[in-house]
Amino acid sequence: MRSSGFTAGKCDLVLHGGTIYGHPGSDSIAIAGGRIAAHGPFSELKALVGPRTHLMKLGGRTVAPGLIDSHLHFMEAASVNGGVQVSKARNLGELLLELRAASLRTAPGNWLKAFGCDEALLLERRGPTRLELDEAVTKNPLRLRHQTLHASWLNSRAIVALGLEKPDFKPPAGATLELDATRRLTGLVVGMEEWLTQRLPPVTSADLEARARIFSRELAASGVTAFTDATVRNGPDEVRLFARLVTQRAIGQRVGLMIGGQHLSHLGEARQGLATSGVSILAAKFMDVAQIEPRALARAALGAVTHGLACAFHATEVEELEAALVAIEAVRRHFGGDTPVPAPMRIEHGGMIPPNYLDRLVESGAWVVTNPGFVYFRGVKYLSEPGLIPHLYRARSLTDAGVPVAGGTDAPVTPPKPLAAIAAAAARVTLEGYELARDEKLDIADAYALFAKSAAELWGIQSGEIIPDLLADLIVLQHDPLTLSPAEITNLQVDLTMVGGRVVYERGRPEVATSIPAL
């Protein structure tokens, strides 16, 4: 028996008669005070069972570490549940049909909000035209968000409502409004997502809480026990919102936040009141890093580190990777060659990492937070550029070189399903069956670690493994992932999710039945 030293009668919960992930000699696990007390054969754990200990039969199922999503966008993903999801459409006909059907269900004049269009995944390899949107949605202003969250398509009613074609309209800095040959708006607008959100009808507090509850439960059903919200617009208001939702238990997971680099001067305000909520500000997020003057980016990163924050650099393209590494290298020089930077440096996505960058990544000490689910859910878009595929969302070459790697789903850009992402890291096969960069495959244990042990190390949280004294952030699975093929893991069911020993989800039971401590 592996034990943390708890005495008999002190355990709150014992799960027995199954498999304990990573421990072939154990069939049971004991939990006390929100932490793992012991694991081993049930015959040896009986001494920890007291009159108030709850016993749960596993029936051959597997207890595994809860999954940590190191990069998602919680509010955006939650808002998808309040709109129309079109990401399954694979041609314009299907997409427009879904929009037309949604419009028929929406009162005339009300905004129709849809999400999930990506022209690279459509048969026609283009997005909808303004005329096509006008014909599909005739009585509602429409905002159709790109799946990457960086652009939107608008129909004519939306363009008129927002005043985008008025002579005195001035677009926000960095925005691009696409024009056709006649200088008329096509409906595609890029780089003004926050501007658009601020001008659409506001979501009520009650609706916001309801959406958060629904999405938190969706995460729990996928085995997620903790997540980092990587939204660059996060400032004091957004931090307070997360704290309120966690305090109200609308969010059942442990929550780490990134704060936008533009909000660093308000960090003290953002941190006020967080201690009682359990929400943590983990990192400063930097976007458009290739467009920022290098010394300015380095100064901002150093400022974040001196305030105890990690630095997270959005880097899907090589130019962004280069800019991020230049900033990281400048921060390292500030602390001296052999002195480690006191907070993690993070490359978010690492979508394209050519071989000549591996040595610099190792030397920098930076983490790569990769998105293996992109290979599965979005990989087909890269087939037209075969020269890029070997460098796409790399994993094996990074870990072999000594680069620390964790995983994120980037939800809602891909579904919030870490198990599918784990399977993708092991198989490197797209949803359509194409294999991409097979040399980057991980074995199942290493792929699982992206969302467990490695993710916990990046966060600095005491979870991610089944070891006595670690947090009892655990999930119960139908089968042991280590015995399954990647295809089987993609469809693996999560039967139960607990955070700190408290059950937050149990398959087949309503939310109210899983929101109480497992005592």
Side-chain angles (χ1 to χ4, degrees):
M1 175 179 71
R2 287 291 306 278
S3 172
S4 62
F6 282 91
T7 58
K10 296 295 185 180
C11 283
D12 304 316
L13 172 67
V14 173
L15 296 93
H16 63 98
T19 299
I20 308 303
Y21 182 91
H23 300 286
S26 299
D27 64 14
S28 303
I29 184 169
I31 295 166
R35 292 182 177 268
I36 298 169
H39 66 80
F42 184 55
S43 59
E44 297 181 9
L45 265 60
K46 286 182 178 179
L48 302 177
V49 176
R52 296 187 178 181
T53 302
H54 181 73
L55 296 176
M56 182 181 295
K57 290 183 178 180
L58 292 169
R61 295 174 297 174
T62 296
V63 178
L67 300 169
I68 302 169
D69 195 327
S70 295
H71 185 120
L72 57 69
H73 303 276
F74 185 92
M75 295 302 177
E76 283 82 355
S79 71
V80 169
N81 293 320
V84 180
Q85 173 64 264
V86 298
S87 59
K88 292 183 179 180
R90 285 297 176 262
N91 59 65
L92 284 168
E94 292 177 358
L95 184 146
L96 295 169
L97 185 62
E98 290 187 32
L99 293 176
R100 185 175 291 110
S103 179
L104 294 174
R105 301 191 300 267
T106 305
N110 285 1
W111 274 87
L112 178 60
K113 291 178 280 188
F115 169 82
C117 179
D118 187 340
E119 69 283 358
L121 299 177
L122 296 175
L123 178 65
E124 296 84 355
R125 291 283 176 163
R126 67 171 179 85
T129 66
R130 178 172 173 174
L131 177 60
E132 288 169 336
L133 294 177
D134 287 347
E135 291 176 345
V137 181
T138 60
K139 298 179 180 179
N140 308 91
L142 165 71
R143 180 193 186 184
L144 169 60
R145 295 194 74 179
H146 198 284
Q147 192 155 1
T148 62
L149 303 176
H150 298 313
S152 290
W153 286 271
L154 306 170
N155 68 353
S156 292
R157 283 183 174 270
I159 290 170
V160 170
L162 294 166
L164 302 188
E165 290 183 321
K166 289 183 177 179
D168 60 347
F169 173 73
K170 294 182 179 180
T176 300
L177 285 75
E178 187 179 74
L179 303 175
D180 63 19
T182 67
R183 308 296 294 172
R184 185 172 183 258
L185 293 181
T186 67
L188 176 64
V189 295
V190 182
M192 53 190 297
E193 293 303 282
E194 187 172 354
W195 187 94
L196 290 172
T197 298
Q198 291 172 347
R199 284 157 179 80
L200 265 61
V203 179
T204 67
S205 295
D207 281 345
L208 194 62
E209 181 180 337
R211 292 180 184 182
R213 287 186 184 279
I214 291 170
F215 184 58
S216 177
R217 183 170 173 82
E218 182 180 348
L219 288 175
S222 296
V224 176
T225 55
F227 65 82
T228 296
D229 183 273
T231 305
V232 72
R233 74 166 184 274
N234 284 343
D237 290 342
E238 288 74 21
V239 172
R240 283 191 288 269
L241 173 60
F242 272 104
R244 176 171 65 82
L245 292 172
V246 171
T247 300
Q248 295 173 339
R249 289 194 175 178
I251 300 176
Q253 288 77 19
R254 300 186 193 276
V255 177
L257 300 178
M258 295 184 189
I259 189 171
Q262 71 275 21
H263 293 299
L264 280 172
S265 59
H266 303 290
L267 180 59
E269 178 188 353
R271 281 174 164 165
Q272 290 179 4
L274 285 187
T276 56
S277 72
V279 174
S280 301
I281 300 177
L282 301 178
K285 174 74 175 290
F286 299 101
M287 287 284 295
D288 302 320
V289 294
Q291 308 303 317
I292 303 173
E293 197 278 321
R295 287 173 295 183
L297 182 59
R299 285 195 299 271
L302 182 58
V305 171
T306 57
H307 284 93
L309 296 182
C311 294
F313 302 89
H314 174 96
T316 58
E317 305 296 336
V318 175
E319 296 81 6
E320 294 167 326
L321 176 62
E322 173 67 24
L325 283 173
V326 168
I328 293 169
E329 288 160 352
V331 172
R332 277 184 58 100
R333 286 195 297 270
H334 175 84
F335 287 95
D338 297 326
T339 303
V341 178
M345 299 288 104
R346 302 173 47 141
I347 303 294
E348 303 300 311
H349 310 299
M352 202 61 59
I353 303 179
N356 57 308
Y357 278 90
L358 288 180
D359 289 343
R360 283 180 69 188
L361 276 169
V362 173
E363 181 65 23
S364 75
W367 284 75
V368 172
V369 180
T370 187
N371 308 122
F374 276 45
V375 173
Y376 181 68
F377 291 106
R378 297 169 58 78
V380 69
K381 69 182 290 184
Y382 303 104
L383 294 176
S384 62
E385 300 179 274
L388 300 180
I389 289 175
H391 313 146
L392 180 71
Y393 295 99
R394 305 179 80 170
R396 172 55 63 195
S397 57
L398 295 178
T399 56
D400 286 350
V403 177
V405 184
T409 65
D410 202 22
V413 179
T414 68
K417 299 181 181 298
L419 286 171
I422 289 166
R428 300 288 302 191
V429 172
T430 73
L431 183 63
E432 297 79 9
Y434 299 101
E435 187 178 62
L436 301 181
R438 64 180 304 161
D439 290 343
E440 294 297 331
K441 291 181 181 181
L442 296 175
D443 60 38
I444 298 298
D446 288 341
Y448 198 98
L450 295 177
F451 290 88
K453 181 181 178 180
S454 297
E457 182 181 348
L458 172 60
W459 183 323
I461 191 173
Q462 295 180 329
S463 65
E465 297 181 272
I466 296 182
I467 297 175
D469 289 327
L470 293 192
L471 294 166
D473 294 0
L474 304 168
I475 58 178
V476 176
L477 301 168
Q478 285 282 314
H479 305 283
D480 184 352
L482 297 176
T483 67
L484 301 179
S485 69
E488 290 169 324
I489 292 174
T490 300
N491 299 305
L492 185 58
Q493 293 277 6
V494 176
D495 281 354
L496 184 141
T497 301
M498 64 174 63
V499 177
R502 184 175 68 89
V503 175
V504 297
Y505 168 80
E506 187 170 0
R507 188 160 64 99
R509 292 195 178 186
E511 181 179 4
V512 67
T514 59
S515 61
I516 58 174
L519 298 177

